[in-house]
Amino acid sequence: MKKALITGITGQDGSYLAELLLEKGYEVYGLIRRSSSFNTGRIDHIYEDPHVEKRRLNLMYGDLSDSAALGQIINRVQPDEVYNLGAQSHVRVSFDIPEYTADIVAVGAIRMLEAIRHSGAPVRYYQASSSEMYGLVREVPQTETTSFHPRSPYGVAKVFAYWAAVNYREAYGMYACNGILFNHESPRRGETFVTRKITTAAARIKLGLQRKVYLGNLDARRDWGYAKEYVEGMWRMLQQDGPEDYVLATGESHTVREFLDEAFSYLDLDYREYVEKDPRYCRPSEVDLLVGDASKAKRQLGWEPRTTFRQLVRLMVDADVKRAEQEKASGKVL
């Protein structure tokens, strides 16, 4: 039975990846940070699944800021695969806490790579890289060979982690892959991210639980896919004969305004009646356009997206309508 260690297992991608690996018969270990309140909501349902043996999902306390703990965990678990998904992942927030973002995203990757290297075990390592590394894009669409020009502390930190994985691959012969994932969303996306903020607002406004939604730049263009499909691409990267870097994307770009229109019109609402612009949500330096070319992933991994932009928006809205209905029925308006 293969063993996998996932940092960021309680996040959107981590929860979908845990499900996928458990379905494939893995023993899954997840790194979680100590908190005074439970933050395992995205994976709680796995414990209730009768098809999953309880011993096959194990949560361990640790942090990407703690190199000693990472070394101990690698030596204790002896994983076959490590998926480094943990991060301070909010781009706008990274401008407010740049040092912390760099410590977790950039140096955290080095700490994990060092823990693996010192273990001496033939661990396969996946680094969660990001389309935010491209920033002020040099070509359209962006590929594995497009140069980076990050426009946020988050993007800068991701570039560091990307090159760290490449360096450890070249210097020490480690199996280290970068998955350069373009925006990928789902009903499990955090509510402070613009896509989920929109679908949550549309649902709550429809049910009379909210009046307005405050957003930043509505003209930014992004390549949005379905997170559940993207984690399969992560897994496929670590099943190849040799380690390489891959872009995962849909090849289509849409503006935030288009996302708004799709979500609100699905509920027979006109977003223009409910959206207010708030400069607090604008970035000091903006990334105007991101759109990826996943031809290499299709050719070498057999991976391609299946969910369309419209389908993605609607499945997110449907999930948030259900949540809003439960909220309204409970009488506890948030």
Side-chain angles (χ1 to χ4, degrees), residues 177-241:
C177 291
N178 282 291
I180 307 173
L181 273 57
F182 282 66
N183 295 64
H184 46 290
E185 317 297 317
S186 77
R188 298 183 193 174
R189 181 56 120 171
E191 292 184 12
T192 59
F193 290 82
V194 66
T195 52
R196 185 74 197 292
K197 189 173 182 180
I198 289 170
T199 58
T200 299
R204 298 186 81 245
I205 288 170
K206 182 68 176 180
L207 292 173
L209 299 173
Q210 185 172 326
R211 296 178 61 188
K212 295 284 185 179
V213 60
Y214 298 89
L215 300 171
N217 180 13
L218 303 187
D219 297 314
R221 301 188 69 90
R222 294 292 184 269
D223 183 328
W224 280 300
Y226 185 23
K228 187 174 183 178
E229 297 170 356
Y230 282 49
V231 299
E232 184 180 342
M234 300 177 187
W235 174 78
R236 292 192 182 197
M237 290 179 205
L238 296 196
Q239 313 312 309
Q240 305 305 302
D241 291 336

Side-chain angles (χ1 to χ4, degrees), residues 69-315:
L70 294 179
Q72 291 169 5
I73 289 169
I74 291 294
N75 290 326
R76 175 183 167 189
V77 174
Q78 296 186 356
D80 298 286
E81 299 169 2
V82 169
Y83 296 85
N84 186 29
L85 312 183
Q88 187 301 99
S89 60
H90 199 287
V91 178
R92 176 60 190 86
V93 172
S94 76
F95 286 97
D96 300 324
I97 48 173
E99 184 179 339
Y100 174 76
T101 300
D103 185 44
I104 299 303
V105 177
V107 185
I110 283 284
R111 293 186 185 108
M112 180 60 82
L113 286 162
E114 277 289 276
I116 294 170
R117 183 172 75 89
H118 285 295
S119 75
V123 178
R124 296 192 168 202
Y125 175 81
Y126 172 85
Q127 173 59 39
S129 291
S130 168
S131 59
E132 287 289 331
M133 299 188 304
Y134 295 119
L136 190 64
V137 299
R138 303 302 178 88
E139 62 180 355
V140 179
Q142 294 87 57
T143 71
E144 292 83 2
T145 59
T146 302
S147 59
F148 302 136
H149 187 146
R151 301 265 284 172
S152 67
Y154 172 80
V156 170
K158 281 293 187 183
V159 170
F160 181 102
Y162 169 92
W163 284 116
V166 172
N167 181 246
Y168 275 65
R169 182 170 73 213
E170 295 176 350
Y172 305 115
M174 291 175 58
Y175 192 113
C177 291
N178 282 291
I180 307 173
L181 273 57
F182 282 66
N183 295 64
H184 46 290
E185 317 297 317
S186 77
R188 298 183 193 174
R189 181 56 120 171
E191 292 184 12
T192 59
F193 290 82
V194 66
T195 52
R196 185 74 197 292
K197 189 173 182 180
I198 289 170
T199 58
T200 299
R204 298 186 81 245
I205 288 170
K206 182 68 176 180
L207 292 173
L209 299 173
Q210 185 172 326
R211 296 178 61 188
K212 295 284 185 179
V213 60
Y214 298 89
L215 300 171
N217 180 13
L218 303 187
D219 297 314
R221 301 188 69 90
R222 294 292 184 269
D223 183 328
W224 280 300
Y226 185 23
K228 187 174 183 178
E229 297 170 356
Y230 282 49
V231 299
E232 184 180 342
M234 300 177 187
W235 174 78
R236 292 192 182 197
M237 290 179 205
L238 296 196
Q239 313 312 309
Q240 305 305 302
D241 291 336
E244 295 187 40
D245 306 319
Y246 300 89
V247 163
L248 298 186
T250 69
E252 294 182 8
S253 70
H254 298 271
T255 63
V256 174
R257 198 182 303 277
E258 287 177 78
F259 199 106
L260 271 167
D261 187 42
E262 188 64 48
F264 276 74
S265 63
Y266 181 46
L267 297 179
D268 297 318
L269 298 172
D270 184 344
Y271 78 88
R272 291 170 294 186
E273 298 178 17
Y274 307 100
V275 175
E276 298 285 346
K277 186 165 184 177
D278 189 329
R280 292 178 301 171
Y281 298 121
C282 293
R283 304 177 187 180
S285 51
E286 185 57 80
V287 174
D288 297 316
L289 168 65
L290 293 174
V291 57
D293 179 354
S295 297
K296 180 181 177 182
K298 182 178 181 179
R299 183 176 64 254
Q300 295 184 204
L301 305 179
W303 180 91
E304 58 184 327
R306 300 181 298 275
T307 303
T308 67
F309 173 71
R310 172 171 287 186
Q311 290 170 335
L312 173 64
V313 175
R314 292 187 173 192
L315 71 86

Side-chain angles (χ1 to χ4, degrees), residues 1-5 21-22 24-29 55-56 58 77-81 83 124 235 238-240:
M1 182 185 296
K2 280 188 176 182
K3 295 180 182 178
L5 172 66
L21 296 179
L22 288 167
K24 292 183 178 297
Y26 281 65
E27 190 173 327
V28 175
Y29 292 80
R55 68 179 182 85
R56 288 208 293 121
N58 308 273
V77 174
Q78 296 186 356
D80 298 286
E81 299 169 2
Y83 296 85
R124 296 192 168 202
W235 174 78
L238 296 196
Q239 313 312 309
Q240 305 305 302

